Amino acid sequence: MIEAHELEKSFGKVRAVAGLSFSARDGAITTILGGNGSGKTTTIRMIAGLVRPDRGAARIDGVDVAPDRTGALAKLGVLHDDLGLYPRLTAREHLVFSARLHGMSSRAGEEAAGHAIDLTGIADIAKRPTRGFSHGQRMKVALARALVHRPKNLMLDEPTRGLDIFAVRMLRDLLKRLRAEGVCIVMSNHVLAEVMELSDQVVMVADGRLTASGTPAELMSSAKARSLEEAFIAFAGGHEARRAG
């Protein structure tokens, strides 16, 4: 389970996240839905321990991220917007390196790397240095790295951005498989077709605040909307319009 409790974060005079709370359960996909600048990425970075909140707490399976980042991240896989690959390392070397950082032995790391390679379908590029990889290939390697220690919780920041149709389909199928295996998945996304297809819960945010949460069907019913887009505009449109103005 991934929990955010009254998270707040400001950068100078700009309040990026303002008291945001939600819970994401195991065996479900929770999507954080919001416009540009709504606080999605900052929220994910706080939960992943990359940014320290000014107030509030993030917990991974009950472990508070701020005081015990190592313990929390042992239970979490993260796909950042910045994939952060080393160009001279092969895809497999990235995975073995990550596995060793998680405390695995050399043999266990090799086995874990092989499992992650099979899971993400990157056997054809596993022995190649990542320099010159396409964005889709880089994303697959970064995703495999996030999964190499078989975490029960996974966070992804706009994972399908810039991907071709085949990579998007692979990712969707993989997320569904992980969900069926009981993994807690949190992702940010603004592609509404993907949100509708994948999400068990949608957390709508604007100006760093929660505006609504529920299943896509519940949100549409509550807003008396014919689509998730209409529901989002109903719940967050006022915030977005004020920011645009």
Side-chain angles (χ1 to χ4, degrees):
M1 174 178 282
I2 295 174
E3 300 171 277
H5 178 68
E6 293 293 327
L7 287 176
E8 293 187 5
K9 184 64 185 179
S10 295
F11 299 98
K13 296 181 179 180
V14 178
R15 177 172 282 190
V17 180
L20 182 61
S21 298
F22 68 88
S23 296
R25 70 182 188 274
D26 296 338
I29 297 175
T30 298
T31 298
I32 304 173
L33 178 62
N36 292 333
S38 61
K40 302 188 305 295
T41 294
T42 300
T43 298
I44 284 178
R45 288 177 175 172
M46 285 191 286
I47 295 172
L50 298 174
V51 173
R52 193 174 186 90
D54 298 330
R55 181 177 174 272
R59 300 184 182 91
I60 311 297
D61 287 344
V63 179
D64 197 326
V65 175
D68 188 5
R69 185 172 183 267
T70 300
L73 295 190
K75 304 172 180 292
L76 179 68
V78 184
L79 181 65
H80 305 289
D81 55 344
D82 179 5
L83 301 179
L85 301 181
Y86 300 104
R88 294 185 181 181
L89 294 185
T90 67
R92 175 177 278 274
E93 286 170 341
H94 275 91
L95 304 185
V96 173
F97 179 55
S98 181
R100 296 301 300 275
L101 288 177
H102 281 285
M104 297 183 194
S105 67
S106 179
R107 180 177 179 179
E110 290 288 348
E111 292 176 353
H115 176 265
I117 287 168
D118 292 340
L119 191 64
T120 53
I122 59 170
D124 58 329
I125 60 173
K127 296 180 179 180
R128 289 172 46 194
T130 58
R131 179 191 294 110
F133 276 14
S134 69
H135 177 73
Q137 290 171 326
R138 288 169 56 80
M139 186 281 296
K140 289 180 181 179
V141 175
L143 179 60
R145 182 181 59 190
L147 296 170
V148 73
H149 58 301
R150 302 193 185 188
K152 295 301 293 180
N153 302 274
L154 180 64
M155 293 192 64
L156 311 97
D157 192 5
E158 297 190 11
T160 61
R161 180 174 51 191
L163 300 185
D164 63 25
I165 294 172
F166 301 103
V168 170
R169 183 170 183 176
M170 180 281 297
L171 180 61
R172 287 177 179 172
D173 290 345
L174 178 56
L175 293 181
K176 291 175 181 178
R177 174 180 170 181
L178 293 171
R179 174 176 60 187
E181 294 174 357
V183 175
C184 171
I185 301 170
V186 173
M187 67 174 181
S188 67
N189 208 329
H190 59 258
V191 181
L192 293 177
E194 294 173 5
V195 177
M196 282 293 298
E197 179 178 349
L198 294 172
S199 303
D200 299 290
Q201 177 183 214
V202 177
V203 175
M204 292 186 175
V205 296
D207 289 339
R209 294 178 172 84
L210 177 71
T211 60
S213 66
T215 68
E218 288 169 347
L219 292 169
M220 287 187 289
S221 175
S222 180
K224 296 181 172 56
R226 294 171 295 178
S227 67
L228 189 59
E229 178 181 356
E230 288 184 1
F232 176 71
I233 291 172
F235 287 118
H239 295 267
E240 297 292 329
R242 284 194 296 274
R243 180 149 41 109

